[in-house]
Amino acid sequence: MTKSQYYKSLEKLHPAAYVLGQRVENPYEHPLIKHMVAGVARSYELANDPEGKKYIVARSGQTGDEVSRFVKFYDSAEDLLTKVKMLRFIAQRIGTCFMRCTGMDAINAIGVEVYNCDRKHGTNYAERLSNFVKHVQKNDFAVFSGVTDVKGDRSLRPSEQKDPDLYLRVVAKDSEGIVVKGAKIHQTGSLCAHWGLVVPTREMLAADKDYAVCFAVPVDAEGMIHVYGRGTLEARELENTDMGNKEYSKFANIVIFKDVFVPWERVFLRGEYEYAGPIVRHFGNFHRHSHGGCKSGVGDVLIGAAALAAEYNGLMKVSHINNKLAEMLKTTEAIYGCSIAASVEAKPTESGIYTVDPVLSNISKLYEGKELHEAIRMMIEIAGGMATDLPSDKDMAHPEIGPLLKKYLKGPEGVSTEDRVRLFRLVEKLAFESRDIVSNIHGAGSPETHRLTILRHTDINAKKDLAKSLAGIKEGRERQ
């Protein structure tokens, strides 16, 4: 699809969407939604650009046709390597989230485990998934993934909750399909997509089998309700003013499933509880790997904004600023490098889909969760206090006080006041937009999940053996 075709395709969708208590008929036009829609549209535009096409367009292993990399299986380590490069390339040009990697990672996480499920239980989930993927490839649809349940009392399993709907579950089934009920929260950009791909959020036991469900659903399915989740700086989007990055932004919804019907051909897991955990673990590893691409791209914007702020303050040659820029570069390249290495160390599964190295992908995400915040702090240090309380665009345009503001907000010669204000608005958005800041920590799962994954996939005893060997410690020696 082209950018304009993507916008046209959204006109055909009629999701039930609520923003600030109001039902919205055309959510893609709403000022709190349209800036993220623009980011997704930009990804379509870049796929038709000669440079972007190198990363975004790939050959389908199913049909042999050229398709979007966002809706194909990871058929090789090279696929995973190019994915990271693609996400950094796009993020550098958008500066925030563009949503599409979640569906890409969900497609592959499901693909690995439904193959195993089919072999054990004689189901045909892999064929259904393959047909769905061919459908979205042919139409170049955008897919978001529904992973995170609202969870209620987190000390209780899904089947132990007082309200059984606090994890999404199957409430009915017949010869035509299933009916699901529940809610998924933190659904980044669900109103920018054509389809949702829902997966379990955690390990399941036999008692939880009604919650072990995976399926695809159009975003405007009957009974599916999207409710906008608030964030900081949104008043400026409503006014279409005072935005440092005027074109692109981010939002996340809670998506409620109010007895939504899903036909069997779009169901990829239903009750086989032992595969719920593996699916979400694969998704987590894939998505942390994706963050290494997109967040390093955003990191490049952070570094550029900091360096430009130093220039616009007349402080280009100050040694402590250059030291901070070097530290920011260290962080960005470490995040990127771990995801690149996780691609190089990728291994094929029996399904034919390649999985990333889980230790390296999770280390990339842990580094992002802690060190990218330090990079943001250093950007603020370099920029100074003007990132916090500049007068509004309306004040700047006022016939009486506007000229005074332009006089007193002037920086070095050769830098216009308007450009200086624009830059500090960008710094403010990069530093204080809550959805991006929290995503750095909790996106793709909590930091504790990342640490547990690293430990699960690391042979600590082998490392102890290395230490014993160098220390001259022999097994079986009697202790005194």
Side-chain angles (χ1 to χ4, degrees), residues 12 76 105 170 218 252 307 408:
K12 301 175 184 177
S76 65
D105 292 331
V170 177
Y408 289 112

Side-chain angles (χ1 to χ4, degrees), residues 62 73 111 114-115 118 123-131 268:
Q62 298 163 278
F73 291 117
V114 294
Y115 175 87
D118 285 355
T123 48
N124 68 333
Y125 294 139
E127 180 182 358
R128 295 179 190 174
L129 179 66
S130 178
N131 290 336
F268 313 125

Side-chain angles (χ1 to χ4, degrees), residues 27-157:
Y28 62 91
E29 296 176 337
H30 193 280
L32 292 174
I33 305 296
K34 68 179 184 179
H35 297 291
M36 191 167 190
V37 174
V40 178
R42 178 74 165 134
S43 73
Y44 279 98
E45 183 178 43
L46 289 169
N48 289 279
D49 173 84
E51 187 178 7
K53 185 176 181 179
K54 293 186 298 184
Y55 301 111
I56 302 171
V57 178
R59 188 73 59 182
S60 170
Q62 298 163 278
T63 66
D65 297 330
E66 284 192 338
V67 299
S68 170
R69 189 173 298 280
F70 284 113
V71 288
K72 79 175 292 289
F73 291 117
Y74 304 138
D75 296 326
S76 65
E78 184 65 29
D79 265 351
L80 290 162
L81 189 65
T82 306
K83 177 184 87 161
V84 178
K85 295 178 180 179
M86 170 185 74
L87 296 176
R88 187 173 191 176
F89 172 83
I90 299 174
Q92 288 170 341
R93 288 151 179 82
I94 293 175
T96 186
C97 181
F98 43 93
M99 188 275 296
R100 298 181 71 188
C101 55
T102 65
M104 170 176 61
D105 292 331
I107 284 169
N108 283 275
I110 297 166
V112 172
E113 291 303 327
V114 294
Y115 175 87
N116 297 330
C117 185
D118 285 355
R119 291 185 66 186
K120 179 178 179 180
H121 293 289
T123 48
N124 68 333
Y125 294 139
E127 180 182 358
R128 295 179 190 174
L129 179 66
S130 178
N131 290 336
F132 170 71
V133 171
K134 289 176 185 175
H135 175 65
V136 295
Q137 286 180 351
K138 181 180 179 180
N139 294 280
D140 201 9
F141 286 141
V143 181
F144 83 93
S145 67
V147 180
T148 307
D149 288 282
V150 291
K151 298 178 182 176
D153 183 341
R154 297 189 181 205
S155 69
L156 302 177
R157 304 196 62 80

Side-chain angles (χ1 to χ4, degrees), residues 279-343:
I279 286 175
V280 75
R281 287 200 299 273
H282 283 304
F283 174 81
N285 293 335
F286 282 139
H287 202 46
R288 292 156 205 162
H289 173 257
S290 292
H291 269 240
C294 68
K295 294 299 185 177
S296 62
V298 173
D300 292 331
V301 179
L302 293 172
I303 294 165
L308 201 56
E311 179 183 334
Y312 285 8
N313 285 336
L315 298 173
M316 298 85 73
K317 298 180 181 179
V318 177
S319 60
H320 77 81
I321 288 178
N322 287 326
N323 289 340
K324 289 182 176 70
L325 292 173
E327 287 295 312
M328 294 171 75
L329 282 162
K330 178 194 75 175
T331 295
T332 298
E333 296 307 321
I335 294 168
Y336 182 64
C338 283
S339 281
I340 289 291
S343 307

